[in-house]
């Protein structure tokens, strides 16, 4: 058996590379791991006043900021929630950090990674420009080897300038408010660096990206993207084994085409040749089984990864998981913390978020208007939680808004497509950015194109064209309905006659459900926002609100139960999504307080949600 450690033997790679499916949640890119990396989070220099080109070499009169927390948040130690159109960051890179990243013989190219910087970033090292990126929610990296110059052992100054125009509604901004103070359903902004910054050393020819695709229950397809100077007779080898037991499931080696920087590797999973073994391997919320893997550019580079065996789809009005109808019981997750805003306050908080969602009785989360930190998806993969991947919306319909959202959404789909937890894509929500999609042919064309583009990027998952209403070409018809009376809610979604009336006419919020020539083709129907009951135990916010309000804890639980009873009484709903997981600023309609403590004993909430 040949090796995966970059020299030839699979056993050595398996022993020396980190086990991808059993990480502690700190590695910022969970499905492509190397042995070494350097975390650059922590104290940086910061300026949010002025804008001087001379600062590319360092920041005079700077304050300290804690990265990756946005300057609007208390956790950043800046805690200034006003407008920040331009911000600057700086820190020193040391030889110890380059060593921690593995920089040296055999890994002599240094890459600087950013998890996310909102909205446009430009980067320098020692005053030398190394690159720029636009898009506030997706990762990017630069090869900074040449910028180190002839003195890689010395200290080097890293500078980042970020632009984030708070009034530019062509930017994909999600729930970030364009007013100085939060209003209605929008929250404080997240400017600049808000996900991990890190260093990684790679060989001059290296594995740049992986994408795992479930073909069926017996085969996955791995796309390996390579970077750097091509070499003769390159080969890629993949070994996969069952997490926990170490049982080998696959071992495949293929040649890299001479003129290509990408190779596709079919990976048949041996045990799946016996159909009776299928249920022992598939991934689901109830059985979140993962398969560990190593991927090698033989003799040159090796990385660790993981995948899950599962399929998703729709048929006969049902959502299918692993070929079987699955009732999606989801919660709307804003991914917002009072101390750190869109950035998680700690890496442990991302795991705890997944645990809490499951403890409350949910099988899924709709990450709302946010491309979440990949480490949240790692814990969803590992602990078993379905996730709806959703684009942060822009609010304008202009060529620039279209270009920005499409580019960022393509990057997001590419980043997250290998996660088994992601089961649905949501490129648009409530007609944000296409406010006249019900009547404007141009906006209808854009909505259809965005959904079809998503299918082209990933044909293995259902796509929701416009979550909530005014669907053009949606694989799942989704509806937002904040009716507060459980009996009336039950009547709206009672039976096939109710379904026909709803999809053929105007729905909640007086919006048509299908537009632009779309027809009812028997798609699954889901109630993807409902509830939103305000309850504020203890101190009350004067600006706190929900779609309805409860008098006390008992009334609140009774209201949740009655609304869920209405959903459970439906003969056709294939899933639902409760609004929402936590109180978020002025929205006090969470099941949990903003600090993630339950408003009543969690067992009572779970019983209301699950019906038992």
């Amino acid at each position: 058996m040949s090796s995966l450690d970059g020299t030839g033997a699979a056993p050595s790679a398996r022993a020396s590379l980190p086990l991808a499916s059993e990480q502690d949640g700190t590695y910022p890119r969970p499905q492509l791991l190397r042995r070494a990396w350097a975390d650059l989070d922590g104290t940086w220099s910061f300026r949010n006043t002025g804008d001087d080109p001379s600062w590319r070499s360092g920041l005079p009169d700077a304050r300290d900021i804690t990265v990756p927390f946005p300057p609007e948040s208390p956790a950043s130690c800046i805690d200034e929630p006003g407008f920040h159109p331009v911000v600057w960051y700086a820190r020193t890179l040391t030889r110890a950090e380059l060593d921690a990243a593995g920089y040296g013989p055999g890994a002599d190219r240094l890459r600087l990674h950013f998890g996310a910087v909102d909205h446009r970033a430009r980067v320098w090292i020692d005053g030398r420009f190394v690159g720029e990126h636009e898009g506030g929610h997706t990762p990017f990296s630069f090869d900074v080897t040449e910028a180190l110059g002839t003195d890689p052992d010395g200290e080097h100054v890293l500078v980042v300038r970020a632009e984030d125009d708070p009034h530019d509604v062509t930017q994909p901004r999600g729930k970030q408010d364009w007013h100085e103070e939060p209003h209605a359903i929008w929250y404080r902004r997240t400017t600049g660096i808000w996900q991990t910054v890190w260093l990684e050393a790679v060989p001059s020819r290296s594995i740049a990206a992986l994408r795992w695709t479930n073909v069926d229950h017996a085969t996955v397809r791995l796309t390996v993207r390579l970077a750097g100077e091509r070499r003769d007779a390159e080969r890629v080898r993949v070994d996969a084994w069952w997490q926990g037991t170490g049982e080998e499931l696959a071992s495949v080696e293929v040649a890299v085409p001479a003129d290509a920087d990408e190779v596709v590797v079919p990976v048949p999973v041996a045990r799946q040749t016996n159909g009776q073994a299928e249920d022992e391997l598939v991934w689901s919320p109830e059985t979140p089984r993962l398969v560990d893997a190593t991927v090698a550019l033989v003799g040159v580079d090796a990385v660790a990864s993981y995948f899950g065996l599962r399929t998703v789809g729709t048929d006969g009005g049902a959502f299918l998981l692993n070929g079987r109808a699955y009732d999606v019981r989801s919660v709307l997750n804003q991914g917002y913390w009072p101390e750190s805003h869109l950035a998680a306050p700690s890496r442990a908080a991302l795991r705890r978020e997944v645990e809490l969602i499951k403890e409350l009785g949910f099988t899924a989360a709709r990450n709302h208007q946010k491309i979440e930190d990949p480490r949240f998806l790692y814990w969803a993969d590992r602990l078993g939680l379905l996730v709806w991947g959703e684009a942060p919306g822009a609010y304008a319909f202009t060529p620039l808004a279209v270009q920005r959202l499409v580019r960022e959404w393509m990057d997001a789909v590419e980043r997250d497509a290998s996660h088994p937890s992601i089961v649905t894509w949501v490129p648009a929500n409530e007609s944000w950015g296409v406010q006249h999609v019900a009547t404007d042919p141009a906006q209808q064309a854009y909505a259809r194109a965005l959904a079809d583009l998503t299918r082209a990027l990933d044909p293995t998952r259902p796509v929701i064209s416009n979550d909530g209403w005014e669907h053009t070409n949606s694989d799942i018809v989704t509806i937002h309905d904040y009716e507060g009376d459980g009996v009336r809610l039950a009547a709206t979604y009672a039976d096939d006659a109710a379904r026909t009336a709803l999809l053929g006419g105007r729905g909640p919020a007086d919006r048509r459900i299908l537009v632009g020539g779309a027809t009812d083709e028997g798609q699954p129907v889901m109630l993807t926002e409902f509830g939103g009951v305000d309850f504020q135990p203890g101190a009350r916010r004067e600006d706190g609100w929900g779609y309805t309000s409860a008098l006390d804890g008992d009334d609140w639980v009774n209201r949740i139960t009655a609304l869920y009873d209405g959903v459970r009484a439906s003969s056709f709903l294939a899933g639902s999504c409760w609004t929402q997981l936590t109180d978020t600023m002025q929205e006090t309609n969470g099941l949990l307080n903003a600090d993630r403590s339950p408003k009543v004993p969690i067992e009572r909430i779970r019983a209301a949600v699950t019906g038992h």
Side-chain angles (χ1 to χ4, degrees), residues 432-450:
W432 293 6
V434 284
Q435 285 86 348
H436 303 292
V437 69
T439 57
D440 183 352
Q443 295 188 18
Q444 291 169 2
Y446 174 45
R448 284 192 294 269
L450 193 54

Side-chain angles (χ1 to χ4, degrees), residues 172-186:
R173 48 191 317 119
K175 297 289 289 279
Q176 298 184 60
D177 209 322
W178 58 99
H179 293 178
E180 186 163 5
E181 292 299 317
H183 80 292
I185 61 170
W186 287 277

Side-chain angles (χ1 to χ4, degrees), residues 66-87:
T66 303
V67 168
F69 306 121
E72 294 89 348
S73 71
S76 69
C77 299
I78 298 295
D79 194 15
E80 295 178 1
F83 294 141
H84 301 288
V86 176
V87 294

Side-chain angles (χ1 to χ4, degrees), residues 178-199:
W178 58 99
H179 293 178
E180 186 163 5
E181 292 299 317
H183 80 292
I185 61 170
W186 287 277
Y187 313 139
R188 292 208 183 280
R189 290 157 299 284
T190 289
T191 297
I193 298 171
W194 68 278
Q195 288 186 26
T196 291
V197 185
W198 55 292
L199 286 172

Side-chain angles (χ1 to χ4, degrees), residues 28-29 44 89 111-124 129-144 158-163 192-200 208 374 407-408 411-412 415:
R29 189 186 52 206
W44 292 49
Y89 299 81
R111 295 204 67 85
L112 172 64
H113 295 267
F114 294 84
V117 181
D118 201 355
H119 168 72
R120 182 169 180 253
R122 307 190 80 212
V123 181
W124 297 264
F129 181 66
V130 296
E132 61 185 318
H133 176 266
E134 183 176 291
H137 305 86
T138 49
F140 58 98
S141 66
F142 306 117
D143 186 324
V144 297
L158 166 62
V159 173
V160 179
R161 179 185 184 273
E163 298 177 33
I193 298 171
W194 68 278
Q195 288 186 26
T196 291
V197 185
W198 55 292
L199 286 172
E200 173 188 46
R407 181 170 58 243
E408 193 162 350
D411 289 344
R415 191 199 77 172

